[in-house]
Amino acid sequence: MYVGRFAPTPSGPLHFGSIVTAVGSYCDAKSRNGKWIVRIDDLDQARTVRGADSDILYMLDSYALHWDGRAIYQSRQRYVYESWRHKLKEELDIYPCVCSRKKIREHSTLQNEEWIYSGYCKTHSTKNKIIRSYRINLRQGCTVAIDDAVLGSITDDLNKSSGDFVLFKPDGTVSQHLANVLDDHHSGITHIVRGEDLLLSSLRQSEIRRILGHNNPKFLHLPLVRNKAGQKLSKQNKAEPIKSELASSTLFDALTFLSQSPPIELQREKPSDIMIWAVGNWKIPNVFSKKTNTKDAAVTQSTRNQVD
Ligand SMILES: [Zn+2]
């Protein structure tokens, strides 16, 4: 059975880019009679904004994006990570890293806005220094493959594209990558629909799955919504929050962005009717059929100010 998920970080309200991902993920699951789970990725308390989780859930409800079961909170999943502790210790090849952010920048290379860690602490003594994280020791020639519904098979050598990434914090808590893998496994996730900015995360998480012997889910990486400056819409660059009273027009715009060609009269319908149409007419090949990953091509006047 198809089990999909939408996993927002509660670092602020949902914006147009997040609703595009939610709609794509929901339609893909429901068009195949699947389950659709919502998981609040709130492990990183420093990024968690008080009340953002209930705001996100309220918004999903008003957009008729109804999830199955209870919303899962990663911060309440520690028992899952605990149950894996022994196996993780046995299977994962890790080493301590004492590098500060500044130090990492000094000896790493920047590629696509990501710092590729050089493996500095593998070759330098970390004795008597404060441990800041534990990193995976990637095998040589670490070629990883994932299966994307549109892009096909994607392979990459993680030594070149990622470098040894963090798996544990100094207090032993799991990193976001590791938590996602364990939570996906625990929830029986079969399909992951997310923005294409998370392609490298998909590859890193697949390497963890390979080591732990988990099956890789199928992926669909959606095109990113960008602002006029060409930046991805995000909470960091102050994307406008979506509004519940504009649910119908925003859903219409999201479907247009995903090249699903919703009929114009649909934007006056209730969110629940729009989503019934969306699920019944969901076509993955259309998502990349024409160049729509500039928001101006897709966003109608009614919500234009929301994503600018
Ligand atoms: Zn280091």
Side-chain angles (χ1 to χ4, degrees), residues 95-99 104 107 117 119-121 135:
Y95 64 89
C97 172
V98 298
C99 302
I104 290 172
H107 61 68
Y117 184 67
Y120 185 88
C121 290
R135 293 177 179 271

Side-chain angles (χ1 to χ4, degrees), residues 105-141:
R105 289 177 182 212
E106 276 170 22
H107 61 68
S108 303
T109 45
L110 187 62
Q111 190 177 297
N112 300 327
E113 299 174 27
E114 293 253 8
W115 289 97
I116 304 192
Y117 184 67
S118 63
Y120 185 88
C121 290
K122 267 196 292 199
T123 49
H124 294 75
S125 170
T126 55
K127 215 174 158 190
N128 299 329
K129 291 182 184 157
I130 298 168
I131 295 171
R132 295 175 190 259
S133 62
Y134 289 88
R135 293 177 179 271
I136 188 167
N137 185 16
L138 289 174
R139 61 201 155 97
Q140 285 302 308

